[in-house]
Amino acid sequence: MLVVRDTEAKGRGVFAHKDFAKGEVIEKACVIVIPKEQVKLITHTVLFNYYFNWHGESGAIALGLASLFNHSYHPNAVYVKNFAKRLIEVIAYQDIAEGEEVTVNYNGVVDDVTPVWFDAVE
């Protein structure tokens, strides 16, 4: 249902390999929880760009493709964290056509325009 390939401006990206309807689950990914005392260590590694803030001050690395979706301030998908089940669901925020890049807002809220830690490319 999804494919990873290069984008023109963002490096790798995740693209729809089929049409997704608004509200449809695109990806359901288990996570590896990083204890809060280890999160500061991950900030000094390449994994810094791929981890999610998690419950409390802990972090999480999502398995599957969930950690590979690119950021957008105008995303077509949203991620939902399920702390109890230790998983992240990526859900279509709008209809997504086959071949379209699937993006999420790294701030966790679709319309949050708070600057992220890198220069965002739209």
Side-chain angles (χ1 to χ4, degrees):
M1 297 190 317
L2 299 168
V3 63
V4 176
R5 65 176 194 249
D6 289 335
T7 67
E8 290 185 25
K10 298 180 183 179
R12 287 187 304 186
V14 179
F15 292 80
H17 200 57
K18 71 171 212 79
D19 293 341
F20 289 97
K22 179 179 180 177
E24 188 174 350
V25 175
I26 297 169
E27 171 86 338
K28 190 180 283 191
C30 295
V31 302
I32 298 172
V33 176
I34 305 163
K36 67 179 182 180
E37 56 275 357
Q38 294 178 23
V39 169
K40 63 183 173 211
L41 301 173
I42 205 166
T43 63
H44 302 287
T45 73
V46 297
L47 293 176
F48 175 74
N49 290 313
Y50 300 95
Y51 90 101
F52 290 82
N53 291 323
W54 201 246
H55 187 62
E57 297 175 27
S58 61
I61 295 291
L63 304 176
L65 300 178
S67 286
L68 297 179
F69 290 95
N70 281 323
H71 167 77
S72 175
Y73 289 118
H74 308 285
N76 54 15
V78 62
Y79 63 87
V80 178
K81 301 172 187 175
N82 185 322
F83 300 118
K85 293 185 178 179
R86 291 182 294 181
L87 62 86
I88 291 175
E89 288 184 319
V90 179
I91 301 167
Y93 180 70
Q94 60 193 38
D95 291 343
I96 301 170
E98 181 178 351
E100 187 177 349
E101 183 178 9
V102 180
T103 59
V104 296
N105 187 324
Y106 285 6
N107 291 318
V109 179
V110 172
D111 59 356
D112 186 341
V113 295
T114 304
V116 290
W117 64 97
F118 57 89
D119 292 331
V121 176
E122 288 291 330

